[in-house]
Amino acid sequence: MTALARPTDGRMIGGVCAALAQRFRTSAKTMRVIFVLSCLLPGPQFLLYIALWALLPSEGKARQAAW
């Protein structure tokens, strides 16, 4: 598995779904569909997305921090 960082390419909004797709080795489109379907269920999906957007580093910043 790769480190969890929002990629600079393939972002639609914040890059959270693209980062999760890279981490779990699936396509970003599949991860986005899973996220949209999960929004039909009760729960804090949008809050989780916003929190991950704020907490995950951008891919360029993650490379610089890794030395």
Side-chain angles (χ1 to χ4, degrees), residues 5-58:
R6 294 181 296 121
T8 55
D9 307 357
R11 288 183 181 185
M12 282 199 77
I13 297 175
V16 174
C17 288
L20 293 173
Q22 284 181 354
R23 175 69 182 228
F24 295 112
R25 295 184 181 155
T26 185
S27 71
K29 189 175 187 179
T30 302
M31 194 59 67
R32 290 180 187 118
V33 169
I34 290 171
F35 175 73
V36 169
L37 290 176
S38 75
C39 288
L40 299 174
L41 301 171
Q45 289 85 348
F46 289 112
L47 295 176
L48 180 63
Y49 188 92
I50 292 170
L52 287 173
W53 189 357
L55 295 174
L56 290 179
S58 186

